[in-house]
Amino acid sequence: MRVVAAFTTSMLSAAPVSAADWTYRPFDLPAAATYTADFGLRFWYGSSKTSKNLYDPSGGMMVSRLTYSGMSIYAAEAYGRFDFDRRWFLKVYVGGGSFRNGNLKDEDFPPVTSPYSATLSAQQNGSPIYASLDVGYNVIRGPDFRVGVFGGFHYLNETVSAFGCTQISFNPYICGSNPIPNQVKVITQDNNWYSVRLGVDATVELDRWRFSVDAAVVPYAWMYGSDAHWLRISDQPGDFSGPIPEDGTGWGYQLEGFVSYRVTEALSVGLGGRYWYMQSRGSTHFENRVNGFTAFPQPVEWKVQNFGVFAQMSLRLGPYNVIDVH
């Protein structure tokens, strides 16, 4: 009873405490509860190739092959990365530009087309648009290095157009005796790739230099596109009523390496390289698209390769406290 009385007396005699002196801590935050943010701009110069193999309805015989190659990529992109407590991270980039130069080689094979036909067309007015979003966790980290794993989503749209047509084989019936001039658009291909990414992200810093690697596998990719043969879109029997839808599923991988130099504590510049590869198998949906004929879907395979180098300028902000507990 004496202990209780003494405690009560001391509480009653204590000076009142104002609300401003109270500190509420529902849980203990990590010792370094901070985040950093990186923002930057990139210019990507590279090369692109995309191709498809079209088969007969049974899938056993190749009917035609279209290969868009020699295209130069000129693209600009913005990117950002957010690191929380050097553990969790989020990274994103969005970009777009143009495909310059390049050509389409369009091949048709016997017995559907006889004799064998191969034509060349100039690629013009093409464009890539792309974006990526990843969320990851650094499983290994030190004062000047980190290794993380991540999962995310990647989107790529590629539009390519072929102009003119010149026979380079011995088929006199397809652009043979009457080549189509390069001012005439003959084909437009518009493909959308939606991909799941799983990968490893690693960085090491040596004084003012930073070396980074990003390697991702694409275990699943969806491709949705359309093929417009402009000179065959009409209301005549045997011609197409409009662009032909195409789809497919597949896989791929994406690699990226980068080295940067810290000019100031906030500003960095650097150079990097990347390689993207994806492929799919699905169908070209001719059904209800050929005037006067009952057409069926035909198997189609698509492959796309993009690679090149990029220059980057970035600005780092932070570290900042996530919550000020003082």
Side-chain angles (χ1 to χ4, degrees):
M1 292 298 292
R2 292 179 180 176
V3 173
V4 174
F7 177 75
T8 303
T9 302
S10 64
M11 290 297 293
L12 292 174
S13 62
V17 178
S18 66
D21 295 327
W22 286 87
T23 300
Y24 175 63
R25 297 186 183 183
F27 57 88
D28 289 332
L29 291 172
T34 61
Y35 73 91
T36 59
D38 287 88
F39 301 95
L41 298 174
R42 293 171 177 160
F43 174 77
W44 179 20
Y45 171 75
S47 180
S48 180
K49 177 181 179 181
T50 184
S51 63
K52 76 172 178 180
N53 295 335
L54 180 66
Y55 297 85
D56 73 321
S58 70
M61 179 176 62
M62 187 184 297
V63 175
S64 65
R65 176 167 55 215
L66 284 78
T67 305
Y68 297 86
S69 62
M71 298 182 294
S72 297
I73 303 171
Y74 292 83
E77 65 186 75
Y79 88 97
R81 178 182 174 116
F82 302 87
D83 287 85
F84 172 69
D85 198 31
R86 302 190 72 243
R87 291 174 170 84
W88 294 96
F89 61 87
L90 180 148
K91 54 183 180 176
V92 59
Y93 61 77
V94 179
S98 65
F99 291 131
R100 299 184 184 178
N101 305 317
N103 59 69
L104 165 65
K105 184 178 182 181
D106 187 351
E107 302 172 90
D108 296 297
F109 301 97
V112 176
T113 300
S114 185
Y116 164 78
S117 171
T119 64
L120 277 183
S121 302
Q123 193 288 136
Q124 301 177 36
N125 302 333
S127 64
I129 300 173
Y130 54 94
S132 183
L133 175 66
D134 299 315
V135 176
Y137 183 80
N138 290 318
V139 295
I140 302 174
R141 56 189 179 274
D144 54 5
F145 68 91
R146 62 172 181 256
V147 179
V149 294
F150 64 83
F153 179 81
H154 187 268
Y155 169 73
L156 172 65
N157 169 266
E158 291 193 339
T159 301
V160 288
S161 293
F163 287 74
C165 180
T166 301
Q167 180 66 229
I168 59 174
S169 186
F170 303 102
N171 188 309
Y173 310 109
I174 302 177
C175 305
S177 57
N178 295 302
I180 299 173
N182 284 348
Q183 292 76 25
V184 179
K185 183 189 292 187
V186 293
I187 299 176
T188 295
Q189 183 73 43
D190 186 359
N191 287 349
N192 294 281
W193 294 84
Y194 305 88
S195 306
V196 174
R197 280 168 43 94
L198 299 174
V200 176
D201 173 278
T203 297
V204 61
E205 296 186 23
L206 301 175
D207 194 17
R208 289 181 173 270
W209 295 93
R210 173 184 291 184
F211 302 87
S212 302
V213 175
D214 183 309
V217 63
V218 175
Y220 204 80
W222 299 262
M223 197 288 292
Y224 298 95
S226 64
D227 179 334
H229 279 57
W230 297 109
L231 302 185
R232 292 194 59 190
I233 295 179
S234 73
D235 57 0
Q236 300 301 312
D239 281 351
F240 303 138
S241 60
I244 309 301
E246 297 181 316
D247 56 32
T249 58
W251 63 277
Y253 53 91
Q254 299 176 340
L255 307 174
E256 190 169 295
F258 184 72
V259 57
S260 65
Y261 180 78
R262 191 172 69 252
V263 180
T264 68
E265 289 305 309
L267 179 66
S268 296
V269 295
L271 293 173
R274 61 166 53 127
Y275 181 87
W276 298 345
Y277 173 84
M278 288 177 288
Q279 69 176 50
S280 71
R281 184 174 177 88
S283 299
T284 298
H285 294 278
F286 289 107
E287 61 270 29
N288 302 319
R289 299 285 175 169
V290 183
N291 297 316
F293 290 88
T294 300
F296 299 93
Q298 296 179 209
V300 65
E301 295 174 338
W302 271 102
K303 294 181 180 180
V304 58
Q305 301 177 68
N306 293 317
F307 61 92
V309 297
F310 58 87
Q312 173 179 301
M313 181 173 64
S314 63
L315 186 66
R316 167 166 289 193
L317 305 177
Y320 299 115
N321 290 329
V322 177
I323 300 176
D324 189 357
V325 296
H326 300 292

